[in-house]
């Protein structure tokens, strides 16, 4: 039956060729860059470990092209077909054999040993494209590079009548750091599931592999906890400025996790504590030491809220939240916040951390948290997230020396909600103004005194939403800075050069235009 279906699809492809008057042969068409390719393999973002362009080896995508997928590669193959089909109108059947037709081949388990779990090799030749990886993750990330070798119009949602040339050459690629993240604050302003899925697709194309969702804060609680229903029925109805709130049911959250997984992204949920808890404490009076509910807050002040550290009910609350959240989160980590707990006494903060961290372990999860958690000397599996603007923080360096891998998100470099300039219509400036070059010109391996490359987990670009309400707002603040953060996390240090990066970045603009991304046209970049 499979062969019968495959041959029917092939027949359709061949008929399409005949209808267009094109030759039914397994070779490429025009072989120069002028045939429709807008980029070379050396233009890929993030920059590959090795890339060798060869304009004589361009591959011509045609109605006869098939996607050949090894066993275990069909999910990535289906994703690739779904990305290419709308603009080309070609059938692009996913098959286990190419039957002599021009093919994009996805080969699993046959890659160069150097590529590891997330790397890949890519070869574009006249007669076909071959992508090899040791895992489906590697194939998916290689597909993101392949997409950049096609004309920007490939991302159109309707058929575009034009030639489709894949830039010729070869790529060897694998990541510098294992953790390459983006954080989305859905607590200050709520973003519905479709909006989050849009952001997932946008970050996936730059090899981001982790999405950190900031699910609770003073202004809103965004995840259904069935044992504490008022967290969402009451605490989920507010937002900064008194705007419309919202929350994810557990089914919606599971669907988001599944969607992210289809883009090979792991979701890390954050429940911020013991501060940033006003939404919870306004929902349940018993979470306050005086057993009186606090007023709802929709301003942007920080540091005033704290759970009642010496009340056993606090830890029943944390246990219930972690139990329900762990059950719907397949990833290894839960982020426990821990920042700006100014209303919690230092000794109470340590008490809280000592009790809360084992609760996560009870449900099979490791913890991550803002770098303040290092005060409690968490176990080596914990990932402290450095968010400060200083370059010397001895307690974080001490945590690294104890074995904790440090995740880098310095606010004056990696916070995507910082204004670009004084005249930026959105964003904040408490950590400084962060133009595109500022966001790109730093290295997590040398940023913080006492923390070396081997002690770095990776990089995460947080996007806080105090001033952001729509997807256009998110896009304007994330682009064009996010691709630079992705490159810092993925590419070898040797490739890191602003003068060459800005040229590659400029070539992304037409693609963002087709995708409808509302980006900031920094004067530092000569946009195409």
């Amino acid at each position: 039956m499979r062969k019968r279906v495959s041959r029917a699809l092939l027949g359709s492809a061949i008929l399409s060729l005949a209808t267009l008057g094109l030759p039914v042969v397994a070779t490429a068409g025009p072989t120069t860059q002028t045939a429709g390719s807008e980029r070379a393999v050396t233009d890929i973002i993030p920059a590959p470990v090795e890339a060798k362009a060869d304009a004589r080896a361009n591959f011509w995508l045609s109605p006869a092209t098939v996607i050949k997928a090894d066993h275990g590669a069909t999910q990535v193959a289906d994703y690739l077909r779904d990305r290419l089909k709308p603009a080309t109108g070609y059938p692009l059947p996913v098959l286990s054999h190419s039957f002599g037709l021009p093919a994009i081949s996805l080969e699993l388990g046959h890659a160069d040993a150097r590529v590891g779990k997330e790397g890949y090799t890519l070869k574009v030749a006249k007669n076909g494209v071959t992508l090899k990886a040791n895992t489906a993750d590697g194939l998916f990330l290689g597909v993101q590079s392949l997409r950049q070798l096609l004309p920007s119009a490939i991302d159109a949602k309707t058929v575009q009548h034009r030639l489709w040339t894949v830039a010729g050459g070869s790529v060897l690629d694998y990541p510098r750091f294992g953790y390459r993240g983006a954080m989305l604050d859905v607590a200050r302003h709520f973003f519905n599931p479709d909006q989050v899925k849009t952001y997932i697709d946008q970050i996936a194309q730059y090899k981001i592999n982790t999405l950190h969702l900031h699910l609770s804060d003073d202004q809103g609680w965004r995840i259904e906890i069935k044992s504490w229903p008022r967290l969402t029925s009451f605490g989920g109805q507010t937002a900064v400025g008194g705007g419309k709130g919202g929350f994810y049911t557990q089914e919606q959250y599971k669907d988001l996790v599944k969607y992210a997984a289809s883009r090979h992204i792991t979701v890390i949920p954050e429940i911020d504590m013991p501060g940033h808890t006003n939404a919870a404490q306004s929902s349940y009076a018993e979470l306050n030491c005086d057993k009186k509910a606090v007023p709802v807050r929709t301003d942007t002040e920080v540091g005033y809220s704290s759970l009642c550290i010496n009340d056993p009910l606090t830890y029943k609350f944390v246990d219930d939240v972690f139990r329900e959240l762990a059950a719907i989160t397949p990833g290894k980590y839960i982020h426990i916040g821990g920042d700006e707990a100014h209303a919690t006494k230092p000794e109470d903060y340590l008490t809280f951390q000592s009790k809360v961290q084992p609760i996560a372990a009870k449900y099979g999860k490791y913890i991550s948290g803002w770098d303040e958690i290092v005060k409690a000397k968490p176990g080596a599996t914990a990932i402290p997230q450095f968010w400060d603007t200083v370059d010397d923080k001895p307690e974080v360096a001490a945590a690294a020396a104890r074995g904790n891998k440090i995740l880098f998100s310095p606010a004056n470099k990696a916070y995507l909600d910082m204004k670009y300039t004084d005249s930026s219509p959105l964003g904040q400036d408490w950590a400084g103004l962060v133009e595109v070059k500022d966001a790109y010109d730093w290295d997590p391996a040398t940023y913080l005194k006492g923390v070396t490359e081997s002690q770095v987990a990776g990089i995460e670009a947080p996007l806080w939403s105090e001033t952001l309400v729509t997807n256009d707002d998110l896009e304007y603040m994330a682009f064009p800075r996010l691709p630079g953060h992705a490159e810092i996390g993925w590419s070898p240090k040797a490739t890191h050069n602003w003068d060459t990066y800005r040229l590659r970045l400029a070539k992304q603009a037409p693609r963002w235009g087709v995708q409808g991304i509302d980006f900031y046209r920094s004067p530092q970049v000569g946009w195409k």
Side-chain angles (χ1 to χ4, degrees):
M1 177 61 72
R2 180 177 175 84
K3 287 187 176 180
R4 187 177 303 166
V5 172
S6 299
R7 292 184 187 282
L9 286 167
L10 290 173
S12 174
I14 292 171
L15 179 60
S16 297
L17 272 174
T19 302
L20 293 172
L22 298 173
V24 186
V25 293
T27 60
T31 60
T32 66
Q33 291 289 79
T34 58
S37 176
E38 297 171 355
R39 298 193 184 92
V41 295
T42 50
D43 292 326
I44 293 170
I45 294 178
V49 174
E50 296 177 7
K52 299 177 182 178
D54 183 358
R56 297 170 299 176
N58 289 348
F59 173 69
W60 186 38
L61 200 65
S62 77
T65 302
V66 301
I67 300 175
K68 175 182 169 294
D70 284 353
H71 178 71
T74 54
Q75 184 270 330
V76 177
D78 289 343
Y79 168 89
L80 176 60
R81 179 199 59 212
D82 292 345
R83 301 284 77 72
L84 304 183
K85 192 172 181 178
T88 64
Y90 301 159
L92 299 170
V94 174
L95 308 172
S96 58
H97 301 281
S98 63
F99 300 100
L101 286 169
I104 300 173
S105 298
L106 306 184
E107 299 183 8
L108 191 60
H110 312 296
D112 187 306
R114 291 174 289 177
V115 306
K117 293 182 178 180
E118 290 190 291
Y120 63 93
T121 60
L122 175 63
K123 184 176 181 180
V124 181
K126 290 181 181 180
N127 60 350
V129 176
T130 304
L131 179 61
K132 296 182 179 182
N134 293 320
T135 66
D137 288 341
L139 284 179
F140 181 84
L141 296 169
V143 161
Q144 306 316 312
S145 292
L146 174 60
R147 290 175 62 193
Q148 293 188 34
L149 302 183
L150 280 151
S152 299
I154 197 65
D155 288 324
K157 298 187 186 306
T158 58
V159 174
Q160 310 293 301
H161 297 286
R162 56 165 300 156
L163 295 174
W164 300 105
T165 306
V166 183
S170 61
V171 174
L172 166 69
D173 207 8
Y174 47 86
R176 181 184 183 187
F177 298 115
Y179 190 123
R180 304 172 308 281
M183 189 217 80
L184 184 59
D185 172 17
V186 297
R188 269 52 176 271
H189 281 106
F190 180 67
F191 294 88
N192 67 41
D194 286 341
Q195 290 176 299
V196 177
K197 288 178 180 180
T198 296
Y199 197 60
I200 288 171
D201 282 331
Q202 290 168 349
I203 66 177
Q205 62 186 330
Y206 294 104
K207 303 183 176 69
I208 297 295
N209 66 358
T210 306
L211 176 63
H212 166 186
L213 286 177
H214 185 76
L215 291 169
S216 71
D217 215 296
D218 293 313
Q219 300 85 0
W221 185 285
R222 307 302 183 199
I223 180 66
E224 176 189 26
I225 302 298
K226 294 181 180 180
S227 55
W228 296 73
R230 270 181 63 84
L231 290 172
T232 48
S233 66
F234 183 82
Q237 304 309 309
T238 53
V240 165
K244 182 181 178 181
F247 66 92
Y248 309 115
T249 66
Q250 291 193 7
E251 289 304 312
Q252 288 174 322
Y253 174 82
K254 287 192 288 186
D255 180 63
L256 280 177
V257 169
K258 182 179 179 181
Y259 189 85
S262 75
R263 271 61 176 162
H264 297 255
I265 289 173
T266 299
V267 171
I268 295 180
E270 179 187 353
I271 302 298
D272 206 346
M273 356 174 237
H276 289 276
T277 51
N278 198 81
Q281 292 176 281
S282 64
S283 301
Y284 284 96
E286 54 266 44
L287 291 177
N288 299 280
C289 291
D290 62 5
K291 306 304 177 184
K292 296 179 181 178
V294 297
V296 168
R297 293 285 291 259
T298 61
D299 58 338
T300 59
E301 292 299 315
V302 299
Y304 56 83
S305 58
S306 177
L307 292 171
C308 191
I309 305 304
N310 297 314
D311 188 340
L313 183 65
T314 292
Y315 305 100
K316 172 67 165 61
F317 167 72
V318 174
D319 192 290
D320 286 340
V321 171
F322 279 12
R323 172 177 50 81
E324 293 193 32
L325 198 52
I328 56 177
T329 300
K332 294 181 180 180
Y333 281 85
I334 290 179
H335 198 293
I336 64 171
D339 62 315
E340 297 175 324
H342 307 318
T344 308
K345 295 177 181 179
E347 61 271 24
D348 285 347
Y349 184 89
L350 297 180
T351 296
F352 180 82
Q353 293 293 338
S354 69
K355 291 184 177 182
V356 166
Q357 292 173 20
I359 296 175
K362 174 182 175 181
Y363 295 109
K365 301 300 180 185
Y366 300 136
I367 65 158
S368 57
W370 303 106
D371 64 60
E372 286 94 327
I373 68 168
V374 300
K375 299 172 186 176
K377 297 183 179 179
T381 57
I383 298 179
Q385 184 169 359
F386 175 79
W387 65 278
D388 212 332
T389 59
V390 299
D391 59 8
D392 186 6
K393 201 163 189 177
E395 58 266 39
V396 175
R402 291 193 298 269
N404 297 107
K405 296 279 190 178
I406 310 301
L407 179 62
F408 275 83
S409 302
N412 57 339
K413 295 291 185 181
Y415 272 31
L416 296 174
D417 58 300
M418 290 299 109
K419 289 175 175 283
Y420 296 98
T421 69
D422 284 326
S423 60
S424 294
L426 299 169
Q428 305 183 87
D429 60 6
W430 62 263
L433 302 175
V434 184
E435 250 288 6
V436 180
K437 186 176 187 293
D438 301 316
Y440 182 79
D441 261 351
W442 67 284
D443 180 8
T446 59
Y447 185 87
L448 194 64
K449 184 178 179 180
V451 178
T452 62
E453 178 146 355
S454 65
Q455 297 168 320
V456 176
I459 177 176
E460 183 174 283
L463 185 50
W464 300 98
S465 66
E466 285 93 338
T467 68
L468 313 178
V469 180
T470 67
N471 271 94
D472 280 349
D473 293 345
L474 299 180
E475 292 162 4
Y476 184 81
M477 300 308 288
F479 292 89
R481 290 180 291 197
L482 184 128
H485 295 308
E487 180 152 305
I488 292 169
W490 176 278
S491 303
K493 171 61 178 170
T495 66
H496 199 80
N497 181 284
W498 166 253
D499 291 330
T500 57
Y501 171 72
R502 63 186 292 272
L503 300 177
R504 288 182 289 119
L505 183 63
K507 295 180 182 180
Q508 297 290 310
R511 189 170 304 277
W512 296 340
V514 174
Q515 293 177 356
I517 292 178
D518 180 23
F519 68 98
Y520 163 64
R521 290 184 173 270
S522 169
Q524 296 180 337
V525 181
W527 300 105
K528 301 297 181 183

